[in-house]
Amino acid sequence: MRIAMNVTRDYLGGITISNINLLNFLHGTGRGVMGIELNGRRYIHGATAFWHFSPDWFEHHIINIHDIPIMKQVNNSKNIKELESRYRPTIKLIKKILMQERPDVVLLNGTYYMPWILSIAAKELKIPIVLRYAGVLSRETAGLKPKARKIFQQMEKSFEKRVDSFIFPSELCKKVVEEEVYKYAVNNAFVIPNPVTIPDTIPAVRSVERRIAAIGRWDYIKNFQAYFEIHKILKKQKWEHSASFVTGTAKITRMPKSIHRVAQMSPSGISDFYKSQGLIICPSFFETFGNVPMEAACLGIPVLVNENMGCAEILKLAGLGKMVMPFDDLKKVAERAKELCGQHILPKQLNNLKKYLDPKVINEQMVAVIRETAGF
């Protein structure tokens, strides 16, 4: 079996992390994997995340589309069909690549415009499609102007007529998509969480300092302004602590100067960063899953997540429900942050996390859906 998939190279992105995990699991098997990357930037760093894969097994195709930026095309289009026509040259190029590479199945990651473009090409070539949800586009674009919001809603809804199998990372994600996007139950739907590698041994020595941190891309739906407010509440209460924010290069508004801004890191670097913290705070308005808190928790680091995140389901199942709460009253959230900071996650709770997030089990489930969809 040969798989085609859309790939990204951003270490802070859940898509990159989940894809690398799956690729590591599959490496050397079948007829290989071809990754298609639609690059919307004029300048990019090398895709180091993929360099350890055999070039005979993993082929990386990069298509530069920085000259047709999505928001400009959306604003200049009357509807989704006109937007599709603007990306038709890119769709034709992808179809040419797919015809040359002859994959048996396409794995789409997310519902943004890059997997949307790939889905059109694959459907026109009658290649079976599996969609792994990563972000509900209708929610992530809720703050846009009405016309743009409508086009993105149409983009997300259009996947239903092309996709053969859906993989949701949480019951919450499946529920939101069925109730808000399609308005009915989705056929061939599977709930499989994102995998997280849990080390065999957790470091015995942990930082006892009051260190809190938030990690992720600067985006409205991530709600990092709430994290800033929590930090300010703790400062007013004279609760001595240090606060950090790990993010990309985006311009950030109204971030307190007392918060240390940290550049995004490699997986090993972010792992070391987690272990230096007393608490990871994740205030997102909504997330289909939430890789960051799960990675931290699996290292024994306490987390505090908004109940509107898919990973809250796993935390509750693992016996860590205290780390989940609504973020509508930030004073209460600040009190919980003080309570959790520096706590230890017990071995039994870590074992529970491993049971639910074991990469081998999850990737086996992923591959089973992909193989069935491909007809193998």
Side-chain angles (χ1 to χ4, degrees), residues 58-69:
F58 178 76
E59 287 203 31
H60 188 184
H61 298 263
I62 304 171
I63 302 172
N64 290 305
I65 55 172
H66 63 273
D67 56 330
I68 43 175

Side-chain angles (χ1 to χ4, degrees), residues 8 45 72 78 86 90 130 196 207 216 305 307 312 322 337-338 349 355-356 362:
T8 60
H45 288 287
K72 182 177 180 181
K78 295 178 182 177
R86 293 175 182 273
T90 304
V130 177
V196 178
S207 172
V305 309
E307 64 180 3
K322 196 78 172 176
K338 290 191 288 187
Q349 295 165 328
K355 180 174 67 175
Y356 294 115
I362 288 172

Side-chain angles (χ1 to χ4, degrees), residues 71-320:
M71 288 313 302
K72 182 177 180 181
Q73 306 311 311
V74 167
N75 291 333
N76 290 335
S77 299
K78 295 178 182 177
N79 50 48
I80 191 70
K81 292 303 294 182
E82 187 173 327
L83 180 66
E84 181 180 324
S85 69
R86 293 175 182 273
Y87 284 101
R88 181 49 59 174
T90 304
I91 295 169
K92 288 182 178 179
L93 179 56
I94 293 174
K95 287 176 68 175
K96 182 178 179 181
I97 294 170
L98 291 173
M99 286 188 288
Q100 290 173 343
E101 298 290 343
R102 299 172 59 198
D104 300 296
V105 63
V106 169
L107 172 62
L108 300 176
N109 296 279
T111 56
Y112 198 31
Y113 74 108
M114 296 180 186
W116 171 70
I117 290 170
L118 179 55
S119 74
I120 295 170
K123 184 64 175 180
E124 290 179 0
L125 293 175
K126 299 181 179 179
I127 303 172
I129 298 172
V130 177
L131 169 61
R132 173 162 54 178
Y133 246 83
V136 175
L137 188 59
S138 300
R139 284 206 172 190
E140 298 211 3
T141 58
L144 299 180
K145 293 180 179 179
K147 188 187 80 168
R149 187 169 67 247
K150 182 178 180 180
I151 287 177
F152 281 120
Q153 288 173 344
Q154 292 172 332
M155 181 182 292
E156 184 170 16
K157 290 183 74 171
S158 74
F159 280 93
E160 195 275 336
K161 64 184 179 184
R162 292 188 290 272
V163 170
D164 299 284
S165 301
F166 289 81
I167 295 175
F168 297 101
S170 63
E171 291 289 350
L172 173 66
C173 177
K174 181 174 182 289
K175 180 175 183 289
V176 167
V177 170
E178 290 181 335
E179 292 183 358
E180 298 181 12
V181 180
Y182 297 133
K183 313 292 186 184
Y184 53 80
V186 176
N187 293 322
N188 293 326
F190 305 86
V191 177
I192 304 174
N194 293 346
V196 178
T197 301
I198 303 174
D200 293 329
T201 58
I202 303 297
V205 179
R206 281 269 316 283
S207 172
V208 294
E209 297 179 36
R210 292 174 175 175
R211 295 180 179 175
I212 64 173
I215 301 165
R217 73 179 189 274
W218 179 248
D219 196 305
Y220 166 79
I221 203 165
K222 298 293 186 179
N223 192 28
F224 286 123
Q225 290 290 354
Y227 171 64
F228 299 165
E229 290 303 314
I230 293 165
H231 167 65
K232 288 193 282 188
I233 290 170
L234 295 174
K235 292 277 286 184
K236 282 184 180 179
Q237 294 177 348
K238 300 191 183 303
W239 192 75
E240 292 299 324
H241 68 285
S242 65
S244 301
F245 181 30
V246 181
T247 190
T249 58
K251 182 180 179 181
I252 298 176
T253 57
R254 302 192 301 279
M255 184 175 85
K257 293 181 179 178
S258 51
I259 292 180
H260 308 291
R261 181 169 179 167
V262 182
Q264 64 186 63
M265 295 166 260
S266 66
S268 61
I270 200 68
S271 177
D272 289 338
F273 179 82
Y274 288 141
K275 288 182 282 190
S276 71
Q277 300 302 306
L279 179 68
I280 303 297
I281 298 177
C282 303
S284 294
F285 288 122
F286 173 81
E287 284 200 36
T288 55
F289 189 66
N291 281 38
V292 165
M294 291 295 90
E295 290 169 1
C298 287
L299 288 169
I301 310 303
V303 299
L304 181 53
V305 309
N306 196 328
E307 64 180 3
N308 294 322
M309 296 177 66
C311 64
E313 299 166 9
I314 302 294
L315 288 169
K316 291 175 182 177
L317 287 171
L320 296 169

Side-chain angles (χ1 to χ4, degrees), residues 34-46:
M34 55 169 294
I36 298 178
E37 177 182 357
L38 296 179
N39 171 43
R41 292 168 284 187
R42 184 180 295 275
Y43 167 76
I44 53 173
H45 288 287

